[in-house]
Amino acid sequence: MVLNTEFGDDDNKHIIAVNDYDSAFFGKLSAEDQALVTEDDRKKRQEIGTKFADDYYDLLTDTIMDGWGEGFHYCRIVPGEPIWQARARHEHYLAHMIGITRGANVLECGSGLGGPAREMARFVECNVTGISINKYQIGYSRKLTKEVGLSDKVKFVQGDFMKLPFADNTFDYVYSIEATAHAPDLNKCYKEIFRVLKPGGRFGTYEWCMTDAFDAQNAAHCAIRSRIERGNG
């Protein structure tokens, strides 16, 4: 596992970060245990949701960047298509579907390293503010954005999308790409997004979800869900 380079050679910080993250799973780390995660376990983890997500990105940002580049999300891909092209198309499609317009004031909830925000700004020529709970990601996002000359169009704010640090009716559009799954309460997260949207504004998201095929009585299904929760923060 590659860890946040801000940790440097401080092995103690590495150990603390790993232990903090794993402690949120209450010892249920083996494949067999994954099927035994209870709703009470899940509720307890939600209560520490902000710290939990922050630990996740302290631990894995560098590793994910090595494999995924600057956009931490899945996308549809045509055989033989370069991943960077497929990812950009996925982001362009979202902008198109919610109707983001040139010059609009846009918020990205869960901005990662800012890859989608920069792509949105290029594609639509809009102004994007990205928010992430993770200090390391914010610093890296600002660095990458400055390097490509987009600092006048793309800004980043460290904060919690459960308590957005913006006034009511601030943004023309809001989007999130596989990020609000980190929210301990999705309804409250969406209410915050609604609050900062201007009247008539639009919110678009690619969201993790369970389908109707999920069976809470099926141990294999429960184990898969728990492994996704652990592996994706």
Side-chain angles (χ1 to χ4, degrees):
M1 177 183 290
V2 180
L3 295 177
N4 183 331
T5 53
E6 285 191 344
F7 290 169
D9 295 324
D10 191 334
D11 289 337
N12 190 50
K13 287 184 178 180
H14 293 182
I15 293 169
I16 290 171
V18 171
N19 288 343
D20 278 353
Y21 187 76
D22 278 348
S23 70
F25 292 89
F26 313 104
K28 295 178 179 178
L29 303 179
S30 72
E32 294 78 13
D33 288 337
Q34 296 296 298
L36 303 177
V37 173
T38 67
E39 288 305 315
D40 187 53
D41 291 335
R42 193 166 283 107
K43 183 177 180 181
K44 289 178 181 177
R45 192 164 67 238
Q46 288 170 344
E47 291 171 357
I48 57 169
T50 298
K51 178 68 166 61
F52 182 57
D54 195 25
D55 283 340
Y56 175 77
Y57 283 112
D58 270 346
L59 287 170
L60 289 174
T61 289
D62 290 343
T63 299
I64 297 172
M65 183 169 58
D66 284 343
W68 293 74
E70 299 171 17
F72 295 177
H73 64 80
Y74 293 102
C75 62
R76 296 166 297 158
I77 187 167
V78 176
E81 182 180 28
I83 184 62
W84 62 266
Q85 181 174 308
R87 191 163 53 220
R89 177 167 51 81
H90 197 64
E91 294 157 5
H92 296 173
Y93 181 76
L94 180 60
H96 168 70
M97 290 303 293
I98 62 176
I100 298 177
T101 55
R102 183 178 183 182
N105 195 19
V106 182
L107 173 67
E108 179 178 5
C109 282
S111 55
L113 291 180
R118 288 185 289 276
E119 190 61 37
M120 291 288 190
R122 293 186 188 101
F123 178 60
V124 189
E125 297 184 20
C126 57
N127 302 295
V128 184
T129 299
I131 186 167
S132 171
I133 197 69
N134 188 260
K135 178 182 177 182
Y136 179 52
Q137 287 191 336
I138 292 295
Y140 217 127
S141 295
R142 289 171 177 162
K143 175 179 178 291
L144 293 172
T145 301
K146 183 177 180 180
E147 287 175 355
V148 296
L150 283 172
S151 296
D152 60 328
K153 288 284 188 182
V154 183
K155 312 291 184 185
F156 297 96
V157 175
Q158 184 181 3
D160 185 354
F161 50 46
M162 299 300 291
K163 300 177 182 177
L164 289 169
F166 309 108
D168 295 359
N169 308 326
T170 297
F171 296 97
D172 301 302
Y173 303 90
V174 181
Y175 71 89
S176 177
I177 304 179
E178 297 171 22
T180 50
H182 290 298
D185 186 321
L186 200 54
N187 284 331
K188 289 181 179 179
C189 179
Y190 284 175
K191 285 179 180 178
E192 272 294 276
I193 289 170
F194 181 79
R195 179 183 64 78
V196 302
L197 266 175
K198 294 178 182 178
R202 289 183 175 181
F203 169 51
T205 181
Y206 292 121
E207 186 65 85
W208 284 83
C209 65
M210 304 299 294
T211 74
D212 292 339
F214 176 74
D215 179 0
Q217 304 306 312
N218 185 313
H221 288 196
C222 291
I224 291 169
R225 175 175 66 173
S226 296
R227 287 198 293 271
I228 290 171
E229 289 171 342
R230 182 173 181 233
N232 289 277

